[in-house]
């Protein structure tokens, strides 16, 4: 299987799946964008049976291009329809969102204000203090880019990123690297995703999280089978496990939110925008082409 999930959580997922189903899995981890580029290049001879963990928008593109196998998994019956394809071509097992990490010690020592909004990040006081993933390799970063376009419109969105670029010290490959760099005191502010930030807070690093006042985009993490799979029965068992109570409980140990009702922390409240994953999928290539030209 291919995945964009972090190595630590994927090891736990695969071990639990093997114990429950008897299916052993070889896993290749790549960032979201790298993984999709590989699939797109390999199709129709994709080098994996299953994708466990990638952006919803890539599932929509793959579905449109007839890359996926339909499978009606009974384990997913009580997952709300909004989190799964009606034809069983993809299933959303968790959802995640952008989050900003700040190093409180560094903010204080550098005399920097605590940002409270996406707009605040444009303030010249943060020049050289912001690190974020490269949307050319990171789905987390593309979620942020797409969110800002959906909030501001494209013209104002590009103006926003032109200004933000002046404050960004590095665009890094990994979606979680900005949080680690902020946690270690290399930079004051990192743009990343929720679990990466929350994990490091739990580990005791002097960081805090910010949900910008304008709201954050969120996306489903999905699982699907590739057309032409040689191990469909085994892949179906994995999909069944992911949608089971046991599978969702394992996922909830590593993710803020899973899609099966009653599992995980239901009392958390975050300010999500009305994120349009279809728009993101349809406009991704065009946006990323211009991003590379600009930055």
């Amino acid at each position: 299987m291919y995945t964009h999930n972090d190595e630590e959580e994927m090891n736990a997922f695969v071990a639990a799946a093997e114990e429950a189903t008897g299916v052993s899995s070889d896993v290749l981890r790549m960032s979201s964008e790298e993984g999709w580029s590989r699939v797109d290049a390999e199709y129709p001879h994709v080098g994996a049976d299953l994708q466990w963990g990638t952006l919803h928008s890539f599932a929509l593109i793959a579905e449109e291009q007839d890359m996926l196998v339909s499978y009606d998994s009974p384990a997913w019956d009580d997952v709300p329809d909004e989190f799964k394809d009606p034809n069983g071509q993809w299933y959303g097992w968790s959802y995640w969102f952008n989050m900003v990490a700040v190093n409180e010690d560094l903010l204080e020592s550098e005399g920097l204000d605590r940002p409270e909004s996406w707009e605040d990040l444009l303030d010249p006081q943060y020049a050289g203090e912001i690190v974020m993933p490269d949307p050319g390799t990171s789905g987390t970063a593309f979620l942020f880019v797409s969110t800002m376009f959906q909030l501001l419109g494209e013209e104002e969105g590009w103006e926003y990123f032109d200004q933000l670029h002046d404050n960004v010290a590095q665009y890094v490959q990994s979606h979680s690297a900005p949080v680690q760099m902020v946690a270690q005191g290399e930079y004051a502010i990192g743009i990343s995703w929720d679990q990466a930030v929350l994990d490091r807070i739990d580990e005791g690093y002097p960081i805090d999280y910010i949900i910008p006042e304008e709201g954050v985009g969120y996306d489903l993490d999905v699982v699907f089978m590739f057309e032409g799979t040689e191990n469909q029965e085994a892949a179906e068992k994995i999909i069944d496990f992911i949608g089971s109570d046991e599978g969702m409980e394992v996922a909830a140990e590593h993710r803020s939110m899973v899609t099966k009702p009653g599992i995980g922390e239901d009392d958390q409240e975050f300010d999500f925008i009305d994120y349009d994953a279809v728009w993101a999928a349809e406009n991704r290539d065009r946006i990323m082409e211009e991003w590379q030209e600009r930055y």
Side-chain angles (χ1 to χ4, degrees):
M1 62 179 71
Y2 293 161
T3 186
H4 74 175
N5 298 337
D6 285 342
E7 183 177 358
E8 180 180 352
E9 65 177 2
M10 200 61 196
N11 288 341
F13 295 162
V14 169
E18 182 171 359
E19 183 176 352
T21 66
V23 176
S24 61
S25 304
D26 293 324
V27 181
L28 178 60
R29 188 203 173 276
M30 297 168 281
S31 69
S32 304
E33 300 287 338
E34 289 175 313
W36 173 250
S37 295
R38 182 177 181 124
V39 167
D40 197 31
E42 290 179 339
Y43 186 77
H45 304 293
V46 180
D49 302 295
L50 193 72
Q51 180 88 34
W52 182 354
T54 192
L55 302 182
H56 184 204
S57 55
F58 288 143
L60 297 175
I61 295 171
E63 181 179 22
E64 183 178 336
Q65 296 181 10
D66 296 324
M67 293 181 172
L68 307 182
V69 176
S70 294
Y71 170 53
D72 183 13
S73 170
W76 292 78
D77 286 348
D78 55 351
V79 172
D81 290 344
E82 63 190 290
F83 299 131
K84 58 191 178 185
D85 177 60
N87 298 315
Q89 293 203 41
W90 52 262
Y91 294 92
W93 55 281
S94 71
Y95 48 109
W96 54 276
F97 51 95
N98 286 132
M99 186 176 275
V100 179
V102 294
N103 186 303
E104 297 178 300
D105 291 348
L106 202 53
L107 289 178
E108 182 177 358
S109 66
E110 298 293 332
L112 301 173
D113 297 329
R114 176 188 170 98
E116 299 295 346
S117 68
W118 294 121
E119 184 71 22
D120 285 349
L121 298 184
L122 304 184
D123 193 311
Q125 69 175 300
Y126 303 122
E129 290 292 351
I130 298 174
V131 62
M132 64 173 280
D134 183 343
T137 60
S138 166
T140 296
F142 182 72
L143 177 63
F144 169 44
V145 172
S146 179
T147 293
M148 296 312 294
F149 284 141
Q150 293 183 37
L151 283 171
L152 300 174
E154 286 196 51
E155 183 175 351
E156 289 188 27
W158 284 121
E159 292 175 1
Y160 176 87
F161 285 110
D162 286 344
Q163 295 179 63
L164 182 67
H165 181 70
D166 293 336
N167 287 349
V168 172
Q170 286 192 52
Y171 298 101
V172 295
Q173 185 173 3
S174 167
H175 61 173
S176 297
V179 185
Q180 189 63 31
M181 298 167 88
V182 170
Q184 293 172 341
E186 297 179 49
Y187 299 100
I189 301 168
I191 299 170
S192 186
W193 69 294
D194 58 299
Q195 203 59 47
V197 180
L198 298 175
D199 283 348
R200 284 158 182 81
I201 291 174
D202 289 343
E203 291 166 7
Y205 286 101
I207 65 173
D208 194 10
Y209 73 81
I210 293 169
I211 301 296
E213 294 170 351
E214 301 94 333
V216 292
Y218 74 96
D219 204 359
L220 282 177
D221 231 333
V222 295
V223 58
F224 48 74
M225 282 187 292
F226 293 109
E227 186 68 44
T229 173
E230 297 179 357
N231 297 289
Q232 183 166 339
E233 183 178 351
E236 289 175 358
K237 289 180 180 179
I238 296 294
I239 290 175
D240 289 344
F241 168 76
I242 297 170
S244 69
D245 287 355
E246 181 183 358
M248 289 285 180
E249 286 167 357
V250 173
E253 294 175 5
H254 299 269
R255 293 297 177 97
S256 299
M257 300 178 181
V258 296
T259 56
K260 178 161 283 198
I263 295 178
E265 300 183 34
D266 297 328
D267 58 345
Q268 297 190 76
E269 293 185 8
F270 298 104
D271 187 11
F272 298 135
I273 72 163
D274 186 16
Y275 185 75
D276 188 341
V278 175
W279 184 91
E282 291 174 345
N283 291 278
R284 170 185 165 274
D285 289 346
R286 176 179 59 81
I287 289 171
M288 288 316 308
E289 182 177 348
E290 183 163 353
W291 178 278
Q292 296 300 333
E293 291 177 358
R294 285 175 177 258
Y295 313 121

